[in-house]
Amino acid sequence: MVAGVERMVKQTKSSGETELTCAVAGQVTAAATQVAARERRDSEVIRAGVAAGRIVIPANRHHVGLVPMGIGRELSVKINANLGTSALAGDLSQELAKLETAVAYGADTVMDLSTGPDAARVRQAIIAQSRVPVGTVPIYDAAGRVEDTRDLTAELLLEVIAEQAAQGVDYMTVHAGLLRRHIPLARRRLLGIVSRGGAILAQWMESHRCENPLYERFDDLLAICREHDVTLSLGDGLRPGCLADASDEAQFAELDALGALVRRCRQAGVQAMVEGPGHIPLDQIAMNMERERETCDDAPFYILGPVVTDCAPGYDHITSGIGAALGAMHGAAMLCYVTPKEHLGLPNARDVRDGVIAYRIAAHAADIAKGIPGARDRDDAISRARREFDWEGQFALALDPAKARELRQEALAESRGAAPAAAPADAQAPATAAAPVKAGSDEHYCTMCGPKFCSMRVFRNLDGDRKD
Amino acid sequence: MVAGVERMVKQTKSSGETELTCAVAGQVTAAATQVAARERRDSEVIRAGVAAGRIVIPANRHHVGLVPMGIGRELSVKINANLGTSALAGDLSQELAKLETAVAYGADTVMDLSTGPDAARVRQAIIAQSRVPVGTVPIYDAAGRVEDTRDLTAELLLEVIAEQAAQGVDYMTVHAGLLRRHIPLARRRLLGIVSRGGAILAQWMESHRCENPLYERFDDLLAICREHDVTLSLGDGLRPGCLADASDEAQFAELDALGALVRRCRQAGVQAMVEGPGHIPLDQIAMNMERERETCDDAPFYILGPVVTDCAPGYDHITSGIGAALGAMHGAAMLCYVTPKEHLGLPNARDVRDGVIAYRIAAHAADIAKGIPGARDRDDAISRARREFDWEGQFALALDPAKARELRQEALAESRGAAPAAAPADAQAPATAAAPVKAGSDEHYCTMCGPKFCSMRVFRNLDGDRKD
């Protein structure tokens, strides 16, 4: 790009043009321009990153109303929230409410993992309503159309993928790197295969004595993705489901296969990212991030957690938030949230809120650690508000203003003799406390310490006289 | 120790004998023996660690009913929960209930930070009831006895410390390393001094134009601690209170002073640990842990958080749990919990539970990462229970069985059409869901996926026929 000369912005993609093909052709797309503005980077940096495959911009040509975002190690860390009905739980209005909750609290993408009979209708509605990229796992939809998942065919899988691509799905998880030769490695594990798509495909392969149909028909899959600009998220069907299975031969054998698929995607002009574990002990996280980067030529790593201990069901937003923060600091580009319901059931709106906030914390902490420009501005601003006892300012700058206000209000009420208040459990209900008190009171101390023991108050008055 | 010859276990400590002096004299104390059993280590390893100052066993001679525990980098990671009334909030029965909650959920020590008029009575009751070591910050009690904290005197501070030592306090935080020459460094900060004790002492020093009385009278302080075997926790009065102040000159100047005090403690036969930050970005945590280890001759590092982002009030158990896990993996020996109420008010029983569990997760994840013997046993056991769809087994092995059961029950109820249930906010109330369902149902799937999409179920039946 010649200095001083504005590159023409390519406004629309035709069929067969993807963010990748445009970037390789030296074109800056409208999406790349928007990503550059959001990331406070030069659009040429974004174009070059997309061209190299280090950045993806999931932006299906048919997703009307999408606000494009970029995913890559050099950008701010992104988070995804999973939504979707199962055959046993969930309905459309609940899922749309969860979408609103997730995006309101800061989800950068959502995945619709619906497996119920309504999957297509739910997906259509979510795409229509969502301004953030929508991802899916097409094998769920396909599996819903057969009596027994061993009756799946390559044709059905490709048909579903084509339908979803035409609907406007921005990225799709396909477990195309789980190969037949990997299955014996998984049999040695404590928990075998915990990926739903992975387990279905493994059973299919064993039943038919055939290779993974998504692998066998990968070129056909690429043709569909190229047509609509669907980003492939190469799924880790062999992600470890417990610490005992972490970083094992099965996991890394599949990762090698995913690396080869990344190269095929790029050659075909299809954007690709790679999905990662799972359950990984804290001391193996940095190594896992480095290994993906080397094996997959720096394709954006999209990690699930990782959960760093198996024994805290009910708190897996925390166990995995710890792993996610560390993973992101070491280069993971997007974090798939885990909610408190993980291992227990389908999340409700409160769980979605708890999961999204935990992951915003992890992503933000990593952005600061990585030195993403401006990442610490919000922290410095809230710290200044603390110094000034500006409670309203603190609430406004908090990642979850309602929660901060609610807890402050609760503490004030309790300090005035009210019984400890039950916290509202509904993520969408405005917070109310047992006693009506002014949460944003400008009193220059909090109930944690009281005025005499308020370090901020004492420090402000370090040189003052005794009439303070 | 001659192989095959059992060393005599020293049953009681006389006045002036401490765990350190005994260990240096080659004696294995009853406390060291109990620590060895709990840590599954040889008692000689514990004795040698105590003698070198790498391990402390806070065990005041007067604390009847104490079950001794050890704190050190080579041992399992410990967590502390803070309790205590302030002038504005809390009463004795509430604090004793919080003590029970904290210990039930896994706190290894508690600190009574009471600053209200009842401080002495609250402390007495907590020591009497607590089987875990009790720590205090004596300057709080002393400050409560004067109108203006600038009226504090060295004599009053020593008097309070002697009283608390005679009461049976196992360890005490003293901010003896915050020196007058450090104050100008703190003035350059965004948030100055956020430690309550630190701020009071800085104001006192500026007001009297004198050096820190705890530093000036450190030998007198050591004599008291030696007499009763009080472990000193050398407080970081200059811990950063926001990311902008992290790892600055003020923090490390005080750390140097604390290192010198560690050596004076050891020479005096007094056990010592060192307290650490505070608010630290993720990428500076490992460096902070290494720096303490070098500066303080491997004295156990007792860290608060650290919080890794300033802007998530209401969720600081998570922001700090991330930092604590990483700190512990890099060598911190004990983690002081932070509750969701941090920066907002005094925690209630629900906050105590949330804080303790978040820190148990952090400590456990670090134990696994450090390779502490047997640390992963519980994870492997719960994973086996998962494989077997043994819900009761999973609940029993969970860090918080009640929470896991409650969320499973909620998910089952919601999947059967009940309205999303509000979670009970009271940490001590048994969980009840909207509809009575059997949480530990042995159905071989969960509502997250349903039976057809249950990877565990599919993988178990990888080679099975279609009549599964």
Side-chain angles (χ1 to χ4, degrees), chain A residues 14-239:
Chain A
S14 310
S15 174
E17 284 184 333
T18 68
E19 294 296 328
L20 176 55
T21 63
C22 293
V24 168
Q27 298 168 330
V28 173
T29 63
T33 308
Q34 287 173 272
V35 169
R38 291 177 71 174
E39 301 279 344
R40 308 197 216 173
R41 305 292 286 272
D42 192 280
S43 58
E44 175 55 22
V45 171
I46 305 300
R47 187 206 60 77
V50 173
R54 293 191 311 270
I55 296 174
V56 296
I57 302 177
N60 186 310
R61 291 194 299 116
H62 313 296
H63 186 172
V64 177
L66 175 73
V67 179
M69 48 75 78
I71 302 167
R73 185 171 47 80
E74 59 209 289
L75 306 181
S76 60
V77 178
K78 304 304 186 298
I79 68 169
N80 170 71
N82 289 336
L83 313 172
T85 56
S86 80
L88 295 183
D91 67 26
L92 179 56
S93 64
Q94 268 175 34
E95 295 314 304
L96 291 178
K98 284 186 209 169
L99 167 65
E100 288 307 299
T101 300
V103 174
Y105 285 102
D108 297 294
T109 80
V110 294
M111 289 193 82
D112 171 21
L113 304 186
S114 293
T115 57
D118 271 350
R121 191 171 65 94
V122 171
R123 183 170 55 247
Q124 189 87 58
I126 286 177
I127 292 168
Q129 187 169 315
S130 179
R131 291 156 46 90
V132 302
V134 175
T136 60
V137 187
I139 198 171
Y140 296 169
D141 186 354
R145 302 188 191 190
V146 291
E147 182 74 22
D148 185 300
T149 52
R150 282 163 289 197
D151 296 331
L152 283 170
T153 62
E155 285 65 34
L156 178 60
L157 285 167
L158 289 169
E159 186 186 311
V160 167
I161 288 167
E163 276 179 32
Q164 294 197 4
Q167 269 187 314
V169 170
D170 299 293
Y171 67 96
M172 293 183 194
T173 296
V174 290
H175 303 95
L178 167 52
L179 303 181
R180 223 182 141 197
R181 67 172 184 268
H182 300 150
I183 297 174
L185 304 176
R187 287 186 193 269
R188 296 179 202 158
R189 288 175 154 185
L190 177 51
L191 280 191
I193 300 180
V194 298
S195 151
R196 291 185 281 179
I200 289 170
L201 286 166
Q203 193 187 41
W204 190 96
M205 288 189 264
E206 291 299 83
S207 167
H208 293 272
R209 295 188 170 75
C210 288
E211 190 50 278
N212 183 339
L214 293 169
Y215 181 79
E216 290 287 286
R217 302 289 294 273
F218 199 65
D219 287 334
D220 297 316
L221 177 56
L222 288 173
I224 299 168
C225 294
R226 170 87 185 240
E227 184 184 345
H228 306 276
D229 197 2
V230 173
T231 298
L232 278 184
S233 189
L234 298 166
D236 54 334
L238 293 177
R239 69 168 177 268

Side-chain angles (χ1 to χ4, degrees), chain A residues 405-467:
Chain A
R405 192 184 298 275
E406 171 194 318
L407 292 194
R408 163 96 172 140
Q409 211 159 17
E410 181 185 71
L412 286 173
E414 287 173 15
S415 78
R416 285 163 198 182
D426 184 347
Q428 309 209 305
T432 52
V437 288
K438 197 176 165 213
S441 160
D442 61 357
E443 290 167 276
H444 282 190
Y445 56 89
C446 74
T447 58
M448 197 161 185
C449 307
K452 188 175 186 178
F453 289 91
C454 177
S455 60
M456 301 262 188
R457 185 183 169 98
V458 171
F459 189 75
R460 274 162 77 103
N461 196 37
L462 211 54
D463 309 304
D465 64 21
R466 286 160 188 250
K467 297 291 172 211

Side-chain angles (χ1 to χ4, degrees), chain B residues 148-292:
Chain B
D148 186 301
T149 52
R150 282 163 290 198
D151 296 332
L152 283 170
T153 62
E155 285 65 35
L156 178 60
L157 285 166
L158 290 169
E159 185 185 311
V160 167
I161 288 167
E163 277 179 32
Q164 294 196 2
Q167 269 187 313
V169 170
D170 300 293
Y171 67 95
M172 293 183 195
T173 296
V174 290
H175 303 94
L178 167 52
L179 305 180
R180 223 181 142 197
R181 65 172 185 267
H182 300 151
I183 296 174
L185 305 176
R187 288 185 192 268
R188 296 179 203 157
R189 288 176 153 182
L190 177 51
L191 280 191
I193 300 178
V194 298
S195 151
R196 292 185 281 179
I200 290 170
L201 286 166
Q203 193 186 40
W204 190 95
M205 287 188 265
E206 291 299 83
S207 166
H208 294 271
R209 297 187 169 74
C210 289
E211 190 49 278
N212 183 338
L214 292 169
Y215 181 78
E216 290 287 287
R217 302 289 295 270
F218 199 66
D219 286 333
D220 296 317
L221 176 57
L222 288 174
I224 298 168
C225 294
R226 169 90 186 238
E227 184 185 344
H228 305 278
D229 197 2
V230 172
T231 298
L232 278 185
S233 189
L234 298 167
D236 54 335
L238 294 176
R239 68 168 177 268
C242 60
L243 296 184
D245 295 339
S247 306
D248 72 347
E249 208 182 336
Q251 181 191 327
F252 289 136
E254 185 187 37
L255 186 66
D256 289 340
L258 296 180
L261 293 178
V262 165
R263 289 180 277 279
R264 286 176 65 183
C265 288
R266 290 179 183 172
Q267 280 164 2
V270 171
Q271 302 187 86
M273 53 186 173
V274 172
E275 295 184 10
H279 288 234
I280 297 283
L282 212 46
D283 59 314
Q284 297 175 14
I285 290 176
M287 174 273 284
N288 269 271
M289 301 304 115
E290 284 151 24
R291 186 148 177 167
E292 185 274 346

Side-chain angles (χ1 to χ4, degrees), chain A residues 280-288 308 326, chain B residues 329 365-366 368-371:
Chain A
I280 297 283
L282 211 47
D283 58 314
Q284 296 175 13
I285 291 177
M287 175 273 284
N288 269 271
V308 296
L326 197 56
Chain B
M329 177 170 81
I368 293 166
K370 288 163 63 176

Side-chain angles (χ1 to χ4, degrees), chain B residues 433-445:
Chain B
V437 289
K438 196 177 167 215
S441 161
D442 63 357
E443 291 166 276
H444 282 189
Y445 56 89

Side-chain angles (χ1 to χ4, degrees), chain A residues 86 88-89 115 140 143-144 146-151 183 186-187 190-196 199-200 202-203 206-207 242-244 281-283 308-315 317-319 321-322 325-326 329 340-346 348 350 353 357 361 364-365 368-369 376 378-380 382-384 386-387 391 397-400 403-404 407-408 410-411 414-415 421-423 425 445-453 455-456 458-459 461-466 468, chain B residues 86 88-89 115 140 143-144 146-151 183 186-187 190-196 199-200 202-203 206-207 242-244 281-283 308-315 317-319 321-322 325-326 329 340-346 348 350-351 353 357 361 364-365 368-369 376 378-380 382-384 386-387 391 397-400 403-404 407-408 410-411 414-415 421-423 425 445-453 455-456 458-459 461-466 468:
Chain A
S86 80
L88 295 183
T115 57
Y140 296 169
V146 291
E147 182 74 22
D148 185 300
T149 52
R150 282 163 289 197
D151 296 331
I183 297 174
R187 287 186 193 269
L190 177 51
L191 280 191
I193 300 180
V194 298
S195 151
R196 291 185 281 179
I200 289 170
Q203 193 187 41
E206 291 299 83
S207 167
C242 61
L243 296 184
L282 211 47
D283 58 314
V308 296
T309 165
D310 304 329
C311 63
Y315 297 90
H317 60 314
I318 299 180
T319 65
I322 293 169
L326 197 56
M329 177 169 83
K341 278 279 171 51
E342 184 75 14
H343 301 110
L344 297 168
L346 205 64
N348 60 23
R350 185 202 61 222
R353 171 184 174 177
I357 292 286
I361 289 168
H364 184 67
I368 293 167
R376 221 189 61 198
R378 188 170 184 165
D379 299 78
D380 293 349
I382 201 170
S383 298
R384 282 190 294 271
R386 277 194 183 124
R387 187 183 57 192
W391 288 99
L397 288 157
L399 290 182
D400 184 348
K403 173 69 83 177
L407 292 194
R408 163 96 172 140
E410 181 185 71
E414 287 173 15
S415 78
Y445 56 89
C446 74
T447 58
M448 197 161 185
C449 307
K452 188 175 186 178
F453 289 91
S455 60
M456 301 262 188
V458 171
F459 189 75
N461 196 37
L462 211 54
D463 309 304
D465 64 21
R466 286 160 188 250
D468 52 354
Chain B
S86 79
L88 296 183
T115 57
Y140 296 169
V146 291
E147 182 73 23
D148 186 301
T149 52
R150 282 163 290 198
D151 296 332
I183 296 174
R187 288 185 192 268
L190 177 51
L191 280 191
I193 300 178
V194 298
S195 151
R196 292 185 281 179
I200 290 170
Q203 193 186 40
E206 291 299 83
S207 166
C242 60
L243 296 184
L282 212 46
D283 59 314
V308 297
T309 166
D310 303 330
C311 63
Y315 298 90
H317 59 313
I318 299 179
T319 65
I322 292 169
L326 196 56
M329 177 170 81
K341 279 276 171 54
E342 185 75 14
H343 302 109
L344 297 168
L346 204 65
N348 60 23
R350 185 201 61 223
D351 299 315
R353 171 183 174 176
I357 292 288
I361 289 168
H364 185 65
I368 293 166
R376 220 188 62 196
R378 188 170 182 164
D379 299 77
D380 293 349
I382 201 170
S383 297
R384 282 190 294 270
R386 277 194 183 124
R387 187 183 57 192
W391 289 98
L397 287 158
L399 289 183
D400 185 348
K403 172 70 82 177
L407 292 193
R408 163 94 171 142
E410 181 184 74
E414 286 173 15
S415 78
Y445 56 89
C446 73
T447 58
M448 196 159 186
C449 307
K452 188 175 187 178
F453 288 90
S455 60
M456 300 263 188
V458 172
F459 189 75
N461 195 37
L462 210 56
D463 307 303
D465 64 22
R466 286 161 188 252
D468 54 357

